[in-house]
Amino acid sequence: SRAAAGVTTDQNGDLGRILQDATSAGYNAYQLSRTAGARADALAALARALAARGQPRPALEAYKASLELAASPEVQAAYEE
């Protein structure tokens, strides 16, 4: 999910699919995680994927939920952007 959310160019018309897969991967990681730290990481990955897909409101909600589980300067900075 992290690597896919960082894609910035459309290679062979697959960008939309890659970002959709990144969103699904973040959500699945959240569902399968058992610890607060793992859930926070999954939510941060989901937020990055949502932001890359042009969905700022859900991305902010995911960043906020991540921060409620675990403090992270990186996630805090992305949330405040």
Side-chain angles (χ1 to χ4, degrees), residues 13 22 26-27 29 32 47 52 54 61 65 68 70 75:
Y27 180 75
L32 295 172
E61 291 173 8
E68 289 173 356
V75 174

Side-chain angles (χ1 to χ4, degrees), residues 1-69:
S1 173
R2 289 178 193 210
V7 174
T8 58
T9 60
D10 194 350
Q11 300 167 350
N12 301 320
D14 294 332
L15 181 59
R17 176 61 185 212
I18 291 168
L19 294 176
Q20 182 179 8
D21 289 348
T23 303
S24 296
Y27 180 75
N28 288 336
Y30 174 76
Q31 291 293 328
L32 295 172
S33 60
R34 298 292 175 241
T35 66
R39 284 185 172 236
D41 288 345
L43 285 166
L46 176 60
R48 285 189 294 274
L50 289 166
R53 291 180 69 186
Q55 298 182 14
R57 188 171 303 274
L60 286 173
E61 291 173 8
Y63 279 131
K64 182 179 178 183
S66 175
L67 289 167
E68 289 173 356
L69 292 172

